[in-house]
Amino acid sequence: RQAGYVTGLVGKWHLGAFDMRYHPRRRGFDETVCFRGGMHDYYQWRLEFNDTVVRTDGRYLTDVWTEEAVRFIERHRTEPFFLHVTYNAPHTPLQAPDDEVRPFLETGKFTQAVSTLYGMLHRMDSGVARLLETLQACGLADNTIVLFTSDNGPQFGGSGENRLDRFNCQLHGAKGSVYEGGIRVPMILRWPAGLDGRREVNGMIHFSDWFPTIL
């Protein structure tokens, strides 16, 4: 903000849900559309649009994040901005539109739980694609740094059709452990005007490194 950037948060805010001192509007964000907490229903949602509470209008929550992020980009297309988009998918509860789940379930390869989770991921991926398309349409794609990653490895567990165990790059462990399967995640960075493409960097990084590194 001190450098003249408009700052926005769209999505999950799991940092001090019960203490207003840690509300994102008091932690450096000019504009926020969020819920504060660890998990949230994808259909019966209650969100904070800045300082106004808005209750569900029937939209799927992942789509709400995408649409609000698109509006933020379009609204600030002529000025520097920092937009933090925190999709909560595929965090529980496992909820997705039927048309997203069906293709995975019909393969016969996955449980109901994994099929639903993959449907959630597919919907989120489609939202990320729309954000990239918006940057392109606004003439911002080349000189906007886009970072995409996850906060932890996949959640495993459950039994029968509720079993969530699935592919995890042959890494040991999953969410909830400090083995690589729980804490090692990929990060994709795109900045056409600033970095050559198709580079693979295998050095270890930590989330806390990003702010000073990008500056």
Side-chain angles (χ1 to χ4, degrees), residues 5-16:
Y5 282 70
V6 178
T7 55
L9 167 75
V10 174
K12 170 180 175 177
W13 179 262
H14 196 189
L15 298 165

Side-chain angles (χ1 to χ4, degrees), residues 183-201:
I183 63 173
R184 181 178 177 178
V185 296
M187 182 269 282
I188 300 170
L189 187 150
R190 193 186 81 164
W191 184 22
L195 296 172
D196 295 331
R198 302 193 179 280
R199 293 174 56 196
E200 183 173 319
V201 179

